[in-house]
């Protein structure tokens, strides 16, 4: 067998994303010879042991990282800074730290103060996921044919960027490097705003009178079910994403609100041409997204 990309990888937070990485490593040992998992929640550690998706599961962050040559942080974005503070004093010389956080400026700012000269850091964001969370939700093909966006900083050496590019390619992903602010703006419109709308529309239903609400829930049309699938997503993860990418998200929400108001005006004035044009344009965009897949 050829030399694996990494000798030893540690996953901190083996939930949906982390457990998918572990499963892929089990399937393809040219990614890493051995893997370790650590989670703040002992129940998650126990579950990972039962699932047998890591070579070693430990309940101590120091023990988790000390022999790893790559450490992956797949915890909610609001926990990235505190976890980094706990582990970096114990990371070995020449190791690489990566995160999988959905927001990048806030995560980089949270991690940066705790980096040591022992390590390099490559921020990354796999653009793959589901509405489920926890170690049972992961699967080894989660990243297959999805984008993984890297936002290197001055703490990312060319060698570490090359290695992490290879790592995500071995996970099945396609790679792009983006500037940090641009990443956060793009993700605000394509991922964070849709989640905000899905959570909100479910609550709008909830605020309706008892009689109407029951009917809506009973007769929920496929369109409502499709549109709200992502409202089943994890509250902690999305609370953290909204708060940590608030500037870009609020800007996109303001633009969306303007467009919604324009549509409302067209409906009030029965401006069929505006309504048709908007729908025709939207269909084109939707088609280009689906055709790109
Ligand atoms: P998840 O399934 O909820 O897994 C996160 C795990 O991290 C949980 O087991 C959690 O434990 C654990 N954790 C929380 N704080 C910790 C700490 N301080 N130390 C160690 N472990 C800790 O979440 P996920 O969906 O895999 O998301 C992980 C990261 O990937 C997030 O930053 C998210 O923004 C990003 N991401 C998610 C998606 C997606 O669609 N889900 C897509 C791309 C990127 P508890 O069970 O105790 O909370």
């Amino acid at each position: 067998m050829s030399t694996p990309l990494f000798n030893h990888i540690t996953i901190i937070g083996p939930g949906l994303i982390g457990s998918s990485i572990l499963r892929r490593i089990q399937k393809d040992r040219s990614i890493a010879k051995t893997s370790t998992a650590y989670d703040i929640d002992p129940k998650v550690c126990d579950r990972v042991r039962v699932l047998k998706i890591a070579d070693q599961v430990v309940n101590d962050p120091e023990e988790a990282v000390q022999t790893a040559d790559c450490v992956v942080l797949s915890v909610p974005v609001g926990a990235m800074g505190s976890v980094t503070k706990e582990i970096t004093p114990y990371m070995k010389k020449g190791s690489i730290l990566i995160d999988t956080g959905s927001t990048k400026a806030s995560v980089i700012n949270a991690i940066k103060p705790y980096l040591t000269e022992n390590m390099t850091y490559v921020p990354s964001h796999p653009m793959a996921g589901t509405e489920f969370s926890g170690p049972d939700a992961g699967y080894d093909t989660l990243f297959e044919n999805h984008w993984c966006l890297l936002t290197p900083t001055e703490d990312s050496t060319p060698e570490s960027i090359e290695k992490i590019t290879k790592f995500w390619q071995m996970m099945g992903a396609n790679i792009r490097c983006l500037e940090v602010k641009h990443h956060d703006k793009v993700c605000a419109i394509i991922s964070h705003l849709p989640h905000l709308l899905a959570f909100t529309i479910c609550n709008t239903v909830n605020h309706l009178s008892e009689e109407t609400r029951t009917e809506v829930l009973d007769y929920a049309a496929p369109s409502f079910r499709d549109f709200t699938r992502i409202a089943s997503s994890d509250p902690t993860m999305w609370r953290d994403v909204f708060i940590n990418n608030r500037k870009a998200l609020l800007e996109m929400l303001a633009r969306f609100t303007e467009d919604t108001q324009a549509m409302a005006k067209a409906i009030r004035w029965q401006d069929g041409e505006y309504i048709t044009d908007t729908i025709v344009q939207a269909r084109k965009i939707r088609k280009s997204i689906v055709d790109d897949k």
Side-chain angles (χ1 to χ4, degrees), residues 12-13 15-18 38-41 44 74-77 79-80 83 100-102 125-126 128-130 133-134 234 237 241:
I12 311 270
L16 168 69
I17 299 294
Y38 159 73
D39 198 280
I40 197 169
D41 185 345
V44 172
S74 46
V75 301
V77 294
M80 294 285 181
V83 182
T100 63
S102 306
H125 178 198
T130 69
S133 55
D234 185 67
M237 174 186 155
V241 169

Side-chain angles (χ1 to χ4, degrees), residues 263 266-267 270-284:
M263 188 60 143
I267 294 169
Q270 300 175 49
D271 181 349
E273 198 181 327
Y274 180 92
I275 297 169
T276 308
D277 283 352
T278 305
I279 297 172
V280 167
Q281 203 53 35
R283 277 165 54 107
K284 274 191 206 152

Side-chain angles (χ1 to χ4, degrees), residues 1-292:
M1 199 177 82
S2 60
T3 319
L5 183 67
F6 292 109
N7 201 38
H8 182 188
I9 285 193
T10 290
I11 306 295
I12 311 270
L16 168 69
I17 299 294
S19 76
S20 296
I21 295 173
L22 287 169
R23 286 177 169 95
R24 186 76 177 203
I25 292 171
Q26 269 198 331
K27 199 171 133 189
D28 179 0
R29 286 295 174 169
S30 61
I31 302 171
K33 212 162 125 193
T34 54
S35 64
T36 293
Y38 159 73
D39 198 280
I40 197 169
D41 185 345
K43 285 201 210 92
V44 172
C45 290
D46 288 343
R47 189 63 197 150
V48 175
R49 284 188 190 100
V50 170
L51 291 169
K52 295 185 170 48
I53 51 178
D55 298 319
Q56 185 194 21
V57 184
V58 298
N59 291 56
D60 173 49
E62 176 181 339
E63 190 188 347
V65 300
Q66 56 198 4
T67 57
D69 42 12
C70 179
V71 175
V72 181
L73 301 179
S74 46
V75 301
V77 294
M80 294 285 181
S82 59
V83 182
T84 309
K85 187 179 178 189
E86 272 188 293
I87 60 164
T88 50
Y90 309 106
M91 282 177 65
K92 70 175 192 181
K93 201 166 176 48
S95 55
I96 303 177
L97 178 69
I98 72 172
D99 74 275
T100 63
S102 306
T103 68
K104 292 273 66 90
S106 71
V107 168
I108 292 168
N109 285 338
I111 287 179
K112 203 174 167 45
Y114 306 112
L115 296 174
T116 73
E117 68 282 1
N118 271 356
M119 71 208 55
T120 52
Y121 165 50
V122 184
S124 50
H125 178 198
M127 302 290 291
T130 69
E131 66 275 33
F132 304 112
S133 55
D136 285 278
Y139 49 96
D140 61 28
T141 52
L142 177 68
F143 309 108
E144 199 87 52
N145 297 321
H146 286 285
W147 287 107
C148 181
L149 306 175
L150 305 185
T151 59
T153 69
E154 64 277 12
D155 298 302
S156 327
T157 59
E159 299 76 37
S160 61
I161 298 170
E162 199 180 312
K163 233 171 159 180
I164 295 307
T165 299
K166 184 95 182 94
F167 168 76
W168 284 113
Q169 282 169 341
M170 291 172 95
M171 289 284 145
N174 304 313
I175 316 299
R176 278 274 167 83
C177 282
L178 282 192
E179 190 273 322
V180 178
K181 266 195 183 160
H182 191 58
H183 166 280
D184 286 356
K185 227 175 181 175
V186 169
C187 289
I189 186 72
I190 62 172
S191 170
H192 308 168
L193 183 61
H195 279 84
L196 185 154
L197 299 180
F199 293 132
T200 308
I201 199 169
C202 285
N203 276 295
T204 305
V205 166
N206 195 37
H207 296 152
L208 295 174
S209 70
E210 184 59 38
E211 187 192 346
T212 322
R213 182 173 64 215
T214 309
E215 284 184 338
V216 170
L217 296 178
D218 280 351
Y219 306 138
S223 53
F224 190 80
R225 286 171 187 269
D226 287 353
F227 188 80
T228 57
R229 175 184 62 80
I230 54 179
S232 308
S233 301
D234 185 67
T236 306
M237 174 186 155
W238 284 100
R239 175 202 65 196
D240 282 7
V241 169
F242 291 166
I243 292 174
N244 283 283
N245 199 25
R246 58 190 177 279
K247 190 162 177 263
L249 177 58
L250 291 174
E251 185 190 326
M252 292 306 159
L253 180 61
R255 284 170 179 245
F256 175 79
T257 308
E258 279 173 23
D259 290 340
T260 313
Q261 290 301 331
M263 188 60 143
K265 187 174 171 193
I267 294 169
R268 183 179 304 283
W269 292 96
Q270 300 175 49
D271 181 349
E273 198 181 327
Y274 180 92
I275 297 169
T276 308
D277 283 352
T278 305
I279 297 172
V280 167
Q281 203 53 35
R283 277 165 54 107
K284 274 191 206 152
I285 290 162
R286 165 75 189 169
K287 186 170 182 312
S288 71
I289 294 167
V290 175
D291 288 351
D292 261 5

